[in-house]
């Protein structure tokens, strides 16, 4: 069942954000992930959304692959750059079954 990594992002340093994006994209692809939304400014139809924050959504084949990506040595390099480039909240959620039902994710890695 697919899993989705959602990131709420505020760019702190645009010059560092570009190398982060390059490193992150390569590591995501190597882990079987693909971008669904990349750097979009969402429209808040309920509540508010800070104009400085963007959203990124990445789909992985399953939660194990998403967790492996996050813990990978390939992504570790991107994480080092991210510390100075971006402020963010990163979320992992399992997708729905084709019936629309869900199965709760347990033991999600928290950082």
């Amino acid at each position: 069942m697919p899993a989705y990594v959602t990131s709420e992002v505020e760019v702190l340093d645009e010059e560092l954000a570009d190398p982060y994006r390059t490193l992150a994209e390569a590591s995501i692809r190597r882990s079987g992930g693909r971008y669904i939304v990349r750097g979009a400014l969402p429209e808040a139809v309920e509540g508010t959304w800070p104009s400085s924050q963007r959203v990124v959504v990445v789909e992985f084949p399953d939660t194990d692959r998403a967790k492996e990506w996050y813990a990978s040595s390939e992504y570790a390099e991107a994480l080092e750059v991210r510390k100075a480039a971006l402020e963010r909240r990163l979320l992992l959620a399992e997708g729905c079954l084709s019936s629309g039902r869900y199965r709760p994710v347990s033991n999600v890695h928290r950082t």
Side-chain angles (χ1 to χ4, degrees):
M1 185 171 342
Y4 298 90
V5 173
T6 303
S7 185
E8 298 172 5
V9 180
E10 181 175 355
V11 175
L12 302 175
D13 184 326
E14 196 62 53
E15 286 183 27
L16 290 175
D18 283 337
Y20 167 79
R21 289 180 192 112
T22 300
L23 293 166
E25 180 178 12
S27 68
I28 287 166
R29 290 186 190 280
R30 278 193 293 272
S31 294
R34 68 184 184 106
Y35 287 95
I36 303 296
V37 177
R38 189 169 187 186
L41 176 61
E43 179 182 347
V45 292
E46 286 191 23
T48 60
W49 183 268
S51 63
S52 62
Q53 287 191 348
R54 302 296 185 255
V55 67
V56 177
V57 179
V58 177
E59 181 184 61
F60 286 93
D62 54 46
T63 56
D64 288 341
R65 293 286 289 276
K67 291 176 186 179
E68 288 168 8
W69 159 74
Y70 187 80
S72 71
S73 59
E74 292 87 2
Y75 189 57
E77 186 178 354
L79 281 175
E80 281 302 310
V81 175
R82 187 213 58 84
K83 290 177 183 177
L86 312 170
E87 182 66 38
R88 72 165 179 203
R89 176 172 27 189
L90 192 69
L91 308 165
L92 170 60
E94 191 171 59
C96 293
L97 300 170
S98 59
S99 66
R101 297 181 64 162
Y102 74 96
R103 185 180 58 157
V105 177
S106 60
N107 300 321
V108 174
H109 177 73
R110 293 178 177 87
T111 59

